[in-house]
Amino acid sequence: LAYELTEHSSVYAAASRAFQMNPIGLRFLEWPMLNGLAYGVGRESIEPETLIAYEVGYHGKFLDRLNTNVNLYWHDYDDLTTLSPRLGPPGLLHFDYGNRASASTYGVEADAKYALSRQITLLGNYTYQQMNWNGSDPYTDKDLVTPPAHKFMLGTRYSPLDDLHLSAHLYYVDAASSPNSMLPLVTRHVPRYFRLDMRGEYEFWKKQASVAVGVRNMLDPHHIEGGSVFLNDAEVPRMVYAELRFVFK
Protein backbone atom coordinates (compact mmCIF):
# COMPACT_ATOMS: atom_id res chain seq x y z
CA LEU A 1 0.00 0.00 0.00
CA ALA A 2 1.27 3.48 -0.87
CA TYR A 3 -0.15 6.92 -0.15
CA GLU A 4 1.03 10.27 -1.54
CA LEU A 5 1.16 12.87 1.21
CA THR A 6 2.19 15.66 -1.17
CA GLU A 7 3.51 15.94 -4.71
CA HIS A 8 7.02 15.19 -3.42
CA SER A 9 6.44 12.85 -0.47
CA SER A 10 4.77 9.50 0.14
CA VAL A 11 4.47 6.69 2.69
CA TYR A 12 4.10 2.98 2.05
CA ALA A 13 3.64 -0.37 3.80
CA ALA A 14 4.30 -3.87 2.51
CA ALA A 15 4.03 -7.48 3.65
CA SER A 16 5.37 -10.47 1.77
CA ARG A 17 5.92 -14.18 2.24
CA ALA A 18 8.65 -16.35 0.77
CA PHE A 19 10.01 -19.85 1.27
CA GLN A 20 13.13 -21.79 0.42
CA MET A 21 13.09 -25.49 -0.34
CA ASN A 22 16.05 -27.43 0.97
CA PRO A 23 18.03 -29.28 -1.73
CA ILE A 24 16.72 -32.80 -2.18
CA GLY A 25 20.22 -34.22 -1.83
CA LEU A 26 20.36 -33.05 1.78
CA ARG A 27 17.32 -35.18 2.61
CA PHE A 28 19.31 -38.33 1.90
CA LEU A 29 22.72 -37.06 2.97
CA GLU A 30 25.20 -39.52 4.50
CA TRP A 31 28.56 -37.92 3.91
CA PRO A 32 31.68 -39.47 5.51
CA MET A 33 34.17 -37.05 7.03
CA LEU A 34 37.54 -37.45 8.73
CA ASN A 35 38.04 -40.93 7.24
CA GLY A 36 34.72 -42.16 8.59
CA LEU A 37 35.13 -40.84 12.15
CA ALA A 38 32.34 -38.34 11.46
CA TYR A 39 29.38 -38.13 9.08
CA GLY A 40 27.03 -35.51 7.72
CA VAL A 41 23.48 -36.89 7.96
CA GLY A 42 20.24 -35.52 6.45
CA ARG A 43 16.54 -36.16 7.08
CA GLU A 44 13.71 -36.96 4.69
CA SER A 45 11.27 -34.95 6.84
CA ILE A 46 13.00 -31.57 6.41
CA GLU A 47 10.49 -28.73 6.00
CA PRO A 48 10.95 -25.62 3.80
CA GLU A 49 12.34 -22.52 5.49
CA THR A 50 9.77 -19.68 5.47
CA LEU A 51 9.92 -15.90 5.71
CA ILE A 52 7.27 -13.26 6.40
CA ALA A 53 8.59 -9.72 5.85
CA TYR A 54 6.99 -6.45 7.00
CA GLU A 55 8.10 -2.97 5.96
CA VAL A 56 6.90 0.64 6.31
CA GLY A 57 8.66 3.60 4.77
CA TYR A 58 8.71 7.25 3.77
CA HIS A 59 10.07 8.98 0.68
CA GLY A 60 10.46 12.75 0.39
CA LYS A 61 12.02 15.32 -1.92
CA PHE A 62 12.89 18.79 -0.67
CA LEU A 63 13.93 21.98 -2.51
CA ASP A 64 14.39 19.94 -5.72
CA ARG A 65 17.87 18.98 -4.43
CA LEU A 66 17.44 16.62 -1.50
CA ASN A 67 15.97 13.12 -1.90
CA THR A 68 15.40 11.07 1.27
CA ASN A 69 14.15 7.59 2.11
CA VAL A 70 13.53 6.00 5.52
CA ASN A 71 12.09 2.56 6.17
CA LEU A 72 11.53 0.24 9.13
CA TYR A 73 11.41 -3.52 8.66
CA TRP A 74 10.83 -6.77 10.52
CA HIS A 75 11.56 -10.21 9.04
CA ASP A 76 10.31 -13.43 10.66
CA TYR A 77 12.01 -16.72 9.72
CA ASP A 78 10.63 -20.16 10.65
CA ASP A 79 11.82 -23.77 10.29
CA LEU A 80 15.44 -22.70 9.84
CA THR A 81 17.81 -25.61 9.31
CA THR A 82 21.07 -26.22 11.12
CA LEU A 83 23.88 -28.72 10.69
CA SER A 84 24.49 -29.63 14.33
CA PRO A 85 27.02 -32.02 15.92
CA ARG A 86 25.70 -35.13 17.69
CA LEU A 87 27.30 -38.28 19.09
CA GLY A 88 27.34 -41.26 16.68
CA PRO A 89 26.42 -43.55 15.12
CA PRO A 90 27.16 -43.24 12.27
CA GLY A 91 30.76 -42.57 13.19
CA LEU A 92 31.94 -41.26 16.53
CA LEU A 93 30.30 -37.94 15.68
CA HIS A 94 27.73 -36.95 13.10
CA PHE A 95 26.43 -33.58 11.91
CA ASP A 96 22.65 -33.79 11.77
CA TYR A 97 20.76 -31.61 9.26
CA GLY A 98 17.26 -30.58 10.40
CA ASN A 99 14.76 -27.80 11.21
CA ARG A 100 15.65 -26.50 14.65
CA ALA A 101 15.30 -22.74 14.86
CA SER A 102 13.40 -19.56 14.13
CA ALA A 103 14.78 -16.05 13.95
CA SER A 104 13.83 -12.45 13.37
CA THR A 105 15.80 -9.54 12.00
CA TYR A 106 14.67 -5.95 12.37
CA GLY A 107 16.05 -2.50 11.83
CA VAL A 108 15.90 0.86 10.12
CA GLU A 109 17.40 2.04 6.84
CA ALA A 110 17.87 5.65 5.75
CA ASP A 111 19.48 7.21 2.72
CA ALA A 112 19.83 10.70 1.27
CA LYS A 113 21.10 12.27 -1.95
CA TYR A 114 21.81 16.01 -2.12
CA ALA A 115 22.72 17.91 -5.30
CA LEU A 116 25.16 20.48 -3.95
CA SER A 117 25.53 21.90 -7.47
CA ARG A 118 25.10 20.73 -11.04
CA GLN A 119 28.52 19.06 -10.84
CA ILE A 120 28.61 17.75 -7.26
CA THR A 121 26.23 15.31 -5.57
CA LEU A 122 26.59 14.15 -1.96
CA LEU A 123 25.37 10.66 -0.93
CA GLY A 124 24.79 8.92 2.37
CA ASN A 125 23.03 5.92 3.86
CA TYR A 126 22.77 4.25 7.25
CA THR A 127 21.47 0.86 8.43
CA TYR A 128 20.79 -0.32 11.97
CA GLN A 129 20.02 -4.05 12.25
CA GLN A 130 19.55 -6.64 14.98
CA MET A 131 18.86 -10.38 14.99
CA ASN A 132 16.96 -12.52 17.50
CA TRP A 133 17.76 -16.23 17.32
CA ASN A 134 15.47 -18.84 18.88
CA GLY A 135 16.49 -22.45 18.64
CA SER A 136 17.81 -25.51 20.42
CA ASP A 137 21.17 -25.02 18.68
CA PRO A 138 23.35 -21.92 18.27
CA TYR A 139 23.17 -19.69 15.21
CA THR A 140 26.65 -20.80 14.15
CA ASP A 141 25.18 -24.25 13.32
CA LYS A 142 23.33 -22.37 10.55
CA ASP A 143 26.76 -21.33 9.26
CA LEU A 144 25.56 -17.75 9.67
CA VAL A 145 27.36 -14.44 10.14
CA THR A 146 25.49 -12.14 12.53
CA PRO A 147 24.38 -8.86 10.93
CA PRO A 148 26.56 -5.86 11.85
CA ALA A 149 24.54 -3.56 14.13
CA HIS A 150 25.64 -0.39 12.33
CA LYS A 151 26.60 0.28 8.70
CA PHE A 152 26.91 3.55 6.83
CA MET A 153 28.24 5.04 3.60
CA LEU A 154 29.32 8.58 2.79
CA GLY A 155 30.03 9.41 -0.84
CA THR A 156 30.40 12.09 -3.43
CA ARG A 157 30.07 12.26 -7.21
CA TYR A 158 31.81 15.03 -9.15
CA SER A 159 31.38 15.73 -12.86
CA PRO A 160 33.79 18.53 -13.88
CA LEU A 161 32.78 17.89 -17.52
CA ASP A 162 29.58 16.49 -19.00
CA ASP A 163 31.45 13.33 -20.01
CA LEU A 164 33.80 12.94 -17.01
CA HIS A 165 32.56 11.50 -13.71
CA LEU A 166 34.60 11.01 -10.53
CA SER A 167 33.31 9.31 -7.39
CA ALA A 168 34.45 8.24 -3.92
CA HIS A 169 32.59 6.16 -1.34
CA LEU A 170 33.61 5.55 2.27
CA TYR A 171 31.90 2.58 4.00
CA TYR A 172 31.79 1.57 7.66
CA VAL A 173 30.74 -1.90 8.84
CA ASP A 174 30.36 -2.71 12.54
CA ALA A 175 31.78 -5.79 14.26
CA ALA A 176 30.06 -9.16 13.81
CA SER A 177 30.42 -12.81 14.81
CA SER A 178 30.77 -15.78 12.50
CA PRO A 179 31.51 -19.52 12.56
CA ASN A 180 35.14 -20.50 12.99
CA SER A 181 36.62 -22.85 10.41
CA MET A 182 39.53 -23.76 12.72
CA LEU A 183 37.44 -24.34 15.88
CA PRO A 184 33.85 -25.10 14.79
CA LEU A 185 32.49 -25.08 18.35
CA VAL A 186 33.81 -21.55 19.02
CA THR A 187 32.61 -18.37 17.30
CA ARG A 188 35.01 -15.98 15.61
CA HIS A 189 34.96 -12.24 16.22
CA VAL A 190 34.93 -10.22 12.98
CA PRO A 191 36.28 -6.73 13.73
CA ARG A 192 34.71 -3.57 12.36
CA TYR A 193 36.31 -2.00 9.31
CA PHE A 194 36.28 0.97 6.94
CA ARG A 195 36.40 0.62 3.16
CA LEU A 196 37.18 3.31 0.60
CA ASP A 197 36.33 2.93 -3.10
CA MET A 198 37.29 5.43 -5.83
CA ARG A 199 36.33 5.49 -9.51
CA GLY A 200 36.76 7.69 -12.59
CA GLU A 201 34.71 7.31 -15.78
CA TYR A 202 34.81 9.03 -19.16
CA GLU A 203 31.94 8.74 -21.64
CA PHE A 204 32.27 9.07 -25.41
CA TRP A 205 30.52 8.14 -28.66
CA LYS A 206 27.46 10.19 -27.66
CA LYS A 207 27.42 8.53 -24.23
CA GLN A 208 27.01 5.07 -25.75
CA ALA A 209 30.49 4.02 -24.62
CA SER A 210 32.66 4.66 -21.58
CA VAL A 211 36.02 3.78 -20.11
CA ALA A 212 36.59 3.68 -16.36
CA VAL A 213 39.34 2.95 -13.85
CA GLY A 214 38.94 2.45 -10.13
CA VAL A 215 40.23 1.06 -6.86
CA ARG A 216 38.17 -0.86 -4.31
CA ASN A 217 39.17 -1.41 -0.69
CA MET A 218 41.97 1.16 -0.61
CA LEU A 219 42.37 1.26 3.19
CA ASP A 220 42.92 -2.44 4.01
CA PRO A 221 44.06 -4.99 1.38
CA HIS A 222 42.72 -8.01 3.32
CA HIS A 223 39.97 -7.16 5.80
CA ILE A 224 37.80 -10.03 7.09
CA GLU A 225 34.05 -9.94 6.43
CA GLY A 226 33.05 -13.31 7.89
CA GLY A 227 33.68 -17.02 7.75
CA SER A 228 32.20 -20.48 7.42
CA VAL A 229 32.53 -23.81 9.17
CA PHE A 230 33.75 -25.45 5.97
CA LEU A 231 35.78 -22.57 4.49
CA ASN A 232 38.54 -20.27 5.65
CA ASP A 233 37.71 -16.77 6.84
CA ALA A 234 36.64 -14.58 3.94
CA GLU A 235 39.23 -11.88 3.38
CA VAL A 236 38.45 -9.22 0.78
CA PRO A 237 41.48 -8.13 -1.28
CA ARG A 238 42.16 -4.74 -2.77
CA MET A 239 41.12 -4.58 -6.41
CA VAL A 240 42.38 -2.23 -9.13
CA TYR A 241 40.33 -2.47 -12.30
CA ALA A 242 39.69 -0.99 -15.73
CA GLU A 243 36.37 -1.18 -17.51
CA LEU A 244 35.24 -0.62 -21.11
CA ARG A 245 31.51 -0.49 -21.79
CA PHE A 246 29.43 -0.16 -24.97
CA VAL A 247 25.67 0.33 -25.34
CA PHE A 248 24.07 -0.40 -28.71
CA LYS A 249 20.70 1.18 -29.37
Side-chain angles (χ1 to χ4, degrees):
L1 298 174
Y3 178 72
E4 290 188 354
L5 300 172
T6 67
E7 183 181 358
H8 299 295
S9 65
S10 60
V11 293
Y12 70 91
S16 58
R17 185 180 187 276
F19 68 94
Q20 176 175 282
M21 296 293 294
N22 292 285
I24 191 170
L26 291 177
R27 299 173 182 268
F28 305 97
L29 177 68
E30 190 167 322
W31 174 31
M33 306 162 61
L34 302 176
N35 291 323
L37 295 177
Y39 277 78
V41 179
R43 297 185 181 184
E44 295 184 35
S45 59
I46 293 175
E47 297 292 332
E49 299 178 320
T50 60
L51 161 67
I52 300 179
Y54 307 93
E55 183 177 353
V56 294
Y58 168 83
H59 168 74
K61 183 177 183 180
F62 305 93
L63 304 175
D64 292 328
R65 290 192 173 191
L66 177 63
N67 284 279
T68 60
N69 293 282
V70 179
N71 71 285
L72 304 172
Y73 65 91
W74 183 288
H75 294 171
D76 269 327
Y77 302 87
D78 285 310
D79 293 321
L80 294 179
T81 56
T82 66
L83 190 63
S84 302
R86 300 286 188 266
L87 292 176
L92 296 177
L93 184 71
H94 70 272
F95 291 87
D96 187 70
Y97 188 78
N99 304 102
R100 293 191 182 86
S102 62
S104 60
T105 57
Y106 59 91
V108 58
E109 298 175 322
D111 69 83
K113 180 170 66 175
Y114 180 69
L116 192 62
S117 67
R118 185 173 177 274
Q119 291 80 25
I120 302 176
T121 300
L122 304 180
L123 310 166
N125 61 54
Y126 169 76
T127 299
Y128 172 78
Q129 186 174 13
Q130 290 290 336
M131 179 182 72
N132 292 331
W133 178 266
N134 298 301
S136 58
D137 294 83
Y139 76 91
T140 47
D141 285 358
K142 181 63 177 171
D143 219 7
L144 181 71
V145 180
T146 59
H150 303 280
K151 295 183 288 186
F152 70 78
M153 185 278 292
L154 298 174
T156 181
R157 295 175 182 169
Y158 175 48
S159 299
L161 304 172
D162 286 343
D163 297 325
L164 179 61
H165 311 289
L166 308 174
S167 63
H169 300 85
L170 177 67
Y171 299 86
Y172 169 80
V173 179
D174 209 354
S177 298
S178 77
N180 191 327
S181 60
M182 301 300 294
L183 298 171
L185 300 180
V186 179
T187 60
R188 178 181 176 87
H189 175 72
V190 180
R192 61 185 182 180
Y193 64 87
F194 285 91
R195 191 184 100 213
L196 177 63
D197 297 351
M198 302 189 74
R199 174 186 170 91
E201 180 181 24
Y202 179 73
E203 297 176 307
F204 58 96
W205 195 27
K206 298 181 180 181
K207 295 187 179 295
Q208 289 184 243
S210 66
V211 60
V213 293
V215 182
R216 293 179 181 171
N217 197 22
M218 292 187 65
L219 301 180
D220 186 349
H222 48 74
H223 71 258
I224 295 176
E225 288 194 351
S228 166
V229 171
F230 299 103
L231 300 174
N232 294 330
D233 294 314
E235 292 187 358
V236 181
R238 178 176 297 146
M239 183 171 72
V240 180
Y241 65 92
E243 178 182 287
L244 181 62
R245 182 177 299 177
F246 293 93
V247 177
F248 297 96
K249 296 181 180 180

